[in-house]
Amino acid sequence: LQHEWSFNESGGATATDSVGGAAVTLVGGTSLGGGVLALPGGAGNYAKLPDGILSSNYSVTIETWLTDNTGITWSRAWSVGGSVVVAGDFIQNNYIDLIPRSGGAGNALWTEIKAGIPQVTTKDLANAGNFPLPTVTEKCITVTYNAQSQTCIMYSNGVKAATMTGITTTPASLGYTLNNYIGLDQWNDAPFSGSFDELRIWDGALPPVYMLVASAAGPGAVVTNLIPLSLTVTAGTSLLG
């Protein structure tokens, strides 16, 4: 586990990273309270992740418990990328993000990987059922990228929602990015309106079994051991001959 933001602060302008010390900075009307990071939507309301937050991650897991309040098309729950030179320069070909409600088929829950500078490689990963993230309902949405297998997987409440292979772009290859946001994107789309209960970044692509266990455990528990303590096997007579 590389970073963990639990948003347990009762107020203030920063959210503490209890693992990596990389504080999230609140901007505009974004607030902390009740155990969540609350994003009201509207211009100028978002939170900023530290510069270069994924610059060392060749493989990564980005795990979130979030609620989309209004279902605004193309709003990003989170977006990491943009310029590596000028902060706030919206370079629209260098990022990885999560879109609760896209403008694609069925308004599908979507994640994108785009790189780089100057070449553009786009991978748009829409969930197989082409459904958006439900509104006013907390969901555990996790995106993994495995550099060795060149595979990106998106999970919804622990279940695979989409898989794409052949992606050569790694998070680290985006560079030391300066536009790393919660609730804002690289395209100046409408900011996300909703809340985050928990946000974690893991150095590496965690396996499917972790997704199921972590989703069941909830945002208040960090699962670090997937080795079962006991195993029960039941065999019917048809298997015994």
Side-chain angles (χ1 to χ4, degrees), residues 76 79-84 89-97 112-124 169-171 173-175 177 179 185-187:
R76 269 64 166 184
S79 180
V80 174
S83 178
V84 297
D89 186 358
F90 290 139
I91 294 177
Q92 297 165 345
N93 64 346
N94 194 59
Y95 59 85
I96 177 172
D97 63 15
E112 297 177 309
I113 298 177
K114 284 196 175 187
I117 304 173
Q119 297 297 317
V120 178
T121 300
T122 303
K123 298 292 184 181
D124 295 327
T169 303
T170 70
S173 71
L174 301 178
T177 58
N179 298 351
D185 67 3
Q186 316 297 328
W187 290 86

Side-chain angles (χ1 to χ4, degrees), residues 26-115:
L26 281 59
V27 180
T30 302
S31 62
L32 291 162
V36 299
L37 175 73
L39 298 124
N45 300 317
Y46 60 95
K48 190 176 186 308
L49 292 157
D51 295 345
I53 191 69
L54 297 182
S55 60
S56 66
N57 295 93
Y58 291 91
S59 297
V60 74
T61 297
I62 303 176
E63 181 181 2
T64 58
W65 275 263
L66 74 163
T67 301
D68 184 354
N69 287 343
T70 55
I72 301 172
T73 303
W74 290 125
S75 288
R76 269 64 166 184
W78 53 260
S79 180
V80 174
S83 178
V84 297
V85 179
V86 180
D89 186 358
F90 290 139
I91 294 177
Q92 297 165 345
N93 64 346
N94 194 59
Y95 59 85
I96 177 172
D97 63 15
L98 177 67
I99 307 170
R101 182 184 180 90
S102 73
N107 299 120
L109 173 68
W110 194 329
T111 192
E112 297 177 309
I113 298 177
K114 284 196 175 187

Side-chain angles (χ1 to χ4, degrees), residues 1-240:
L1 181 59
Q2 196 171 17
H3 304 284
E4 181 185 15
W5 299 272
S6 296
F7 306 116
N8 289 326
E9 295 85 355
S10 59
T14 58
T16 300
D17 171 7
S18 60
V19 175
V24 164
T25 304
L26 281 59
V27 180
T30 302
S31 62
L32 291 162
V36 299
L37 175 73
L39 298 124
N45 300 317
Y46 60 95
K48 190 176 186 308
L49 292 157
D51 295 345
I53 191 69
L54 297 182
S55 60
S56 66
N57 295 93
Y58 291 91
S59 297
V60 74
T61 297
I62 303 176
E63 181 181 2
T64 58
W65 275 263
L66 74 163
T67 301
D68 184 354
N69 287 343
T70 55
I72 301 172
T73 303
W74 290 125
S75 288
R76 269 64 166 184
W78 53 260
S79 180
V80 174
S83 178
V84 297
V85 179
V86 180
D89 186 358
F90 290 139
I91 294 177
Q92 297 165 345
N93 64 346
N94 194 59
Y95 59 85
I96 177 172
D97 63 15
L98 177 67
I99 307 170
R101 182 184 180 90
S102 73
N107 299 120
L109 173 68
W110 194 329
T111 192
E112 297 177 309
I113 298 177
K114 284 196 175 187
I117 304 173
Q119 297 297 317
V120 178
T121 300
T122 303
K123 298 292 184 181
D124 295 327
L125 183 65
N127 70 78
N130 288 331
F131 55 85
L133 191 71
T135 56
V136 202
T137 303
E138 185 171 88
K139 292 283 188 178
C140 177
I141 305 298
T142 303
V143 175
T144 69
Y145 176 77
N146 187 312
Q148 183 174 6
S149 63
Q150 299 183 346
T151 299
C152 182
I153 303 175
M154 182 167 55
Y155 297 84
S156 176
N157 281 1
V159 178
K160 284 185 184 181
T163 302
M164 181 176 285
T165 60
I167 303 174
T168 58
T169 303
T170 70
S173 71
L174 301 178
Y176 195 85
T177 58
L178 305 178
N179 298 351
N180 308 320
Y181 303 125
I182 301 173
L184 191 64
D185 67 3
Q186 316 297 328
W187 290 86
N188 205 26
D189 289 302
F192 177 74
S193 172
S195 61
F196 279 73
D197 194 331
E198 180 87 358
L199 171 60
R200 300 170 189 158
I201 297 176
W202 300 76
D203 187 18
L206 297 181
V209 65
Y210 170 83
M211 305 305 163
L212 289 170
V213 174
S215 178
V222 178
V223 177
T224 58
N225 187 356
L226 296 175
I227 300 173
L229 298 179
S230 63
L231 179 65
T232 301
V233 178
T234 302
T237 56
S238 61
L239 296 177
L240 300 176

